[in-house]
Amino acid sequence: MAWQLSLDLPLAVALGPDDFILAEANRAAHEMVTAMGWPEGKLALIGPPGSGKSHLARVWQASSEAMILLAQDLGPSLPPPAPGAAIVVEDIQRLPRAAEVTLFHLHNRLAASGGRLLLTADRPPARLGIALPDLASRLQATAIARIHDPDDRLLRAVLAKHFADRQLVPMADVIPYLAARIERSFASAAAVVARLDRMALAESRPVSRTLARRALDRD
């Protein structure tokens, strides 16, 4: 996965198992995702945007050799999974109506062959608005692992990771300053670091508390 800078340069996000930040907000989800067995071989990983669902899915992929698919890309041309395959379907809140049958058949084939299915979404299956009744019932019967909003400690760690992913070294007082003032959410942490990256690049300035204050004043 790659994010884009303002100059369309690829941002290398560290998604290895050792890069995942464990905290109270995600510890239970991490334990469930990395457990040996899931009820009926399937699990729904639910969390707010930017909370690390894709990262945690790749932690599981590293041990399961899972194939990762994007829900919005599913369609009738998807080949049947190999017996016993491990598959991640990301962002099922973006599943097209026309792809619901595809996901239904994928689910059933994995279940019949002893495969495993990890689904990620920003909301529980019951709130996805799936139109196909058989698929809706199967998704609603899926065990859920939840990532919650970050506490102060995790928020600071997430800010530090976003800076590191962008190869930025903020001054020592920047992260505490930001953590005390932004909304306590993963999305806010990602957004403010991206804004500071653009500002620092445009102005050829270090990431200082002064720059951070200006970035927050733009909200």
Side-chain angles (χ1 to χ4, degrees), residues 8 26 59 69 95 138 142 149 153 157 185 194 203 213 219:
D8 292 329
N26 58 29
V59 171
L69 305 172
L95 184 72
R138 281 160 175 76
T142 303
D149 287 328
R153 178 175 171 273
S185 72
E203 301 176 19
R213 180 166 56 248
D219 285 340

Side-chain angles (χ1 to χ4, degrees), residues 17 19-34 43 45-48 50-57 59 144-151 153-155 157-158 161 186:
D19 299 308
F20 190 80
I21 303 168
L22 272 176
E24 289 305 308
N26 58 29
R27 192 177 306 277
H30 182 274
E31 290 176 357
M32 291 181 70
V33 169
T34 58
L43 185 67
L45 177 58
I46 309 302
S51 59
K53 298 185 297 296
S54 292
H55 192 166
L56 189 46
V59 171
I144 293 177
R146 292 182 183 272
I147 298 177
H148 301 281
D149 287 328
D151 57 19
R153 178 175 171 273
L154 180 56
L155 184 62
V158 169
K161 184 178 187 304
F186 297 101

